[in-house]
Amino acid sequence: MKILWLLVLLFVFSFADELSQKTKDLKESERISKQLGKKLDDLAKDILASEKNLNNLAGQIQKLSQETLKLEENAKLQNKELKTLNSQNQDLLKDKNAMENKLVSLIAENFAFDLPIPSGYIESEESFIAFELLNSLDEVLKEEFYRLSKDYELVSKQINAKQAQIDKINTNLKKYNDDLIKLEKLKLEQIDEIKRQKTDKDIYTKKLNDVQKQQVELRNTLAELKIVSDKQEKASNTSSSSNNQAVRQLGSSYQNTAVKKYKGQKTIAPLDSFTVKQKFGNFTDPIYNIKIFNENVILRSKTADARVKSVFGGKVVFAKETNLLQRVVIIEHNNGLHTIYAHLDKISPTLKVGKNVKKGEVLGRVKNDLTFEVTQEKFHINPLELISLN
């Protein structure tokens, strides 16, 4: 029967541990999913905050380790002293109990001697002698009672003093054990934080590499369409199969992008409702300290499956799916202006290369993020200069 209960308990504990681990894994999966959807600079802030937290944890662990190391030898001595004190207290308590029994006995005897004289009692010489003897015995009992009381008081004080020492040692040992538990928790927290930071850095590195690869692919497309020059495209084309190498080379296009100010009138935005997820222009990566030039903006739609509209009237010169940018539409406008709409989830079925579109005409749909780029006569323009943000 006992074996059966043991097996049941083992199963319950094993199930509880497995459930706890699954819950932990689920929370981490949800966290990773959330991190994947974050902006590059927000993800960088998380990594920097994690670095700060790790430094703080390392400081706490070092301090607590030094404290527990100092207390370790003292804890061994105090455990030994605690054993001795407990043994001494046990002996004192035995003495105290014996004294208590003796005091009770003396009080009972003294009470018997102090009984009142019975009625009809006739005093005689013998009775007088007996009373004298009783008085003498009473004095002896009182002296013994006084001495025993003093001894009892002394033993009680000794017991209290030793108990105070025991309590103090127990408090010190509890602090030592609490510190050990706290130290172990901090170490586990440090391990979890390192794992989280590694995951975030992997996501961040991939995002940086994706920025580079997508920018290269878009530049190749624009160069093929003669929208930007081959010289600019070649200067920026620095893709690499190695993640670390790609990260090191990400900033190569920093000084190679030709930019000009937009001087035309403001127009409509490609999305009805959005926030700016990535801005145009210089960006210094705070993790690897790499300089990047964003040639486009990323607009996050506030509604899912949002319509993407042409900001000006013009002619479709490109409309198809690509390797990295999903579906891309490029519209040619007057004055050498081109607008590029990338990461579309759908392209309007009526949209074909060579078709003329009107301002505000739907080009396709996007689930979340739209990459929006503008060029004019082989120069890049900040897309936000074209549109009204009101």
Side-chain angles (χ1 to χ4, degrees):
M1 189 67 181
K2 286 183 179 178
I3 294 172
L4 181 62
W5 273 109
L6 228 100
L7 288 170
V8 170
L9 285 171
L10 283 171
F11 173 77
V12 169
F13 288 137
S14 174
F15 178 75
D17 287 343
E18 187 180 345
L19 186 63
S20 175
Q21 186 59 45
K22 283 183 178 178
T23 303
K24 189 177 178 182
D25 291 343
L26 181 61
K27 285 181 179 178
E28 180 59 13
S29 295
E30 289 172 353
R31 193 193 73 84
I32 291 170
S33 178
K34 187 178 178 182
Q35 297 301 83
L36 284 166
K38 281 190 175 181
K39 294 191 290 183
L40 201 61
D41 51 350
D42 286 343
L43 192 56
K45 286 175 186 176
D46 286 349
I47 293 169
L48 293 173
S50 174
E51 194 68 41
K52 188 177 179 180
N53 190 34
L54 278 173
N55 290 335
N56 183 37
L57 283 171
Q60 289 183 62
I61 288 168
Q62 185 180 11
K63 184 181 177 183
L64 205 53
S65 295
Q66 289 171 350
E67 287 176 4
T68 51
L69 199 63
K70 288 177 185 176
L71 291 171
E72 187 178 0
E73 191 60 37
N74 191 35
K76 288 178 184 176
L77 294 172
Q78 287 189 327
N79 270 314
K80 190 176 179 182
E81 187 180 351
L82 185 63
K83 190 177 178 182
T84 303
L85 285 168
N86 278 322
S87 177
Q88 289 173 349
N89 241 9
Q90 288 298 318
D91 293 338
L92 286 170
L93 284 168
K94 286 177 185 177
D95 292 343
K96 185 181 177 183
N97 287 333
M99 287 178 185
E100 285 173 351
N101 292 330
K102 198 167 184 181
L103 282 167
V104 170
S105 178
L106 281 171
I107 290 167
E109 288 176 25
N110 194 43
F111 175 75
F113 294 141
D114 289 338
L115 288 173
I117 297 169
S119 60
Y121 173 77
I122 300 171
E123 190 173 328
S124 64
E125 187 179 348
E126 287 82 4
S127 65
F128 178 77
I129 293 169
F131 271 110
E132 285 298 316
L133 285 170
L134 286 172
N135 285 333
S136 297
L137 185 58
D138 191 36
E139 289 298 321
V140 171
L141 288 172
K142 283 179 180 177
E143 285 179 14
E144 188 175 355
F145 184 82
Y146 178 76
R147 180 186 58 76
L148 199 56
S149 295
K150 282 289 182 185
D151 290 345
Y152 182 82
E153 185 182 357
L154 180 64
V155 168
S156 294
K157 284 181 178 178
Q158 287 177 330
I159 289 171
N160 290 336
K162 288 189 184 296
Q163 189 59 51
Q165 286 180 275
I166 289 169
D167 291 343
K168 186 179 179 181
I169 289 171
N170 279 327
T171 300
N172 291 339
L173 289 174
K174 185 180 181 304
K175 184 185 181 305
Y176 172 67
N177 289 324
D178 287 347
D179 284 350
L180 287 178
I181 292 168
K182 186 180 177 182
L183 182 61
E184 190 60 30
K185 283 182 178 178
L186 284 172
K187 286 180 178 178
L188 290 173
E189 189 180 339
Q190 185 185 46
I191 290 168
D192 287 343
E193 189 66 39
I194 289 169
K195 286 179 181 177
R196 284 194 294 269
Q197 191 191 66
K198 184 183 181 302
T199 301
D200 286 354
K201 279 191 173 181
D202 288 344
I203 294 170
Y204 186 82
T205 302
K206 185 180 182 304
K207 281 180 178 284
L208 281 176
N209 288 332
D210 287 346
V211 167
Q212 168 70 358
K213 290 173 183 176
Q214 289 171 16
Q215 193 152 291
V216 167
E217 182 173 87
L218 191 52
R219 273 187 163 269
N220 286 338
T221 302
L222 295 177
E224 286 173 11
L225 295 169
K226 307 299 181 184
I227 294 171
V228 297
S229 67
D230 289 338
K231 184 179 178 182
Q232 280 181 293
E233 185 274 322
K234 288 174 183 176
S236 298
N237 193 351
T238 55
S239 60
S240 170
S241 59
S242 164
N243 276 353
N244 292 332
Q245 184 66 21
V247 166
R248 284 197 294 270
Q249 293 183 351
L250 271 171
S252 60
S253 65
Y254 184 71
Q255 299 294 341
N256 296 321
T257 301
V259 179
K260 68 180 292 187
K261 289 283 289 181
Y262 175 69
K263 296 179 181 179
Q265 290 184 338
K266 293 278 186 180
T267 187
I268 62 169
L271 295 171
D272 289 329
S273 180
F274 63 90
T275 56
V276 179
K277 184 177 177 181
Q278 175 186 288
K279 293 181 180 180
F280 177 85
N282 300 335
F283 170 74
T284 302
D285 150 53
I287 305 302
Y288 302 108
N289 202 29
I290 296 167
K291 292 180 178 180
I292 305 168
F293 191 92
N294 295 320
E295 296 174 344
N296 46 54
V297 294
I298 296 177
L299 307 179
R300 168 152 287 188
S301 175
K302 291 184 178 180
T303 57
D305 198 31
R307 295 182 305 169
V308 179
K309 298 175 291 185
S310 179
V311 298
F312 288 116
K315 185 174 74 174
V316 179
V317 293
F318 188 90
K320 67 178 181 180
E321 188 169 352
T322 64
N323 291 328
L324 301 173
L325 297 160
Q326 293 176 270
R327 293 163 184 83
V328 178
V329 172
I330 302 174
I331 309 294
E332 182 182 73
H333 311 282
N334 295 329
N335 302 320
L337 195 72
H338 289 83
T339 54
I340 300 101
Y341 312 80
H343 288 113
L344 297 173
D345 293 285
K346 296 174 185 175
I347 294 177
S348 177
T350 60
L351 205 70
K352 307 293 179 186
V353 173
K355 179 185 177 181
N356 290 318
V357 294
K358 296 177 182 179
K359 177 180 175 179
E361 188 170 333
V362 175
L363 305 176
R365 290 183 179 270
V366 67
K367 284 182 182 176
N368 295 305
D369 297 338
L370 171 71
T371 298
F372 183 45
E373 189 167 326
V374 180
T375 65
Q376 187 174 35
E377 297 171 351
K378 306 190 185 303
F379 288 91
H380 278 85
I381 290 173
N382 182 352
L384 298 183
E385 291 178 2
L386 270 76
I387 62 180
S388 176
L389 297 175
N390 296 331

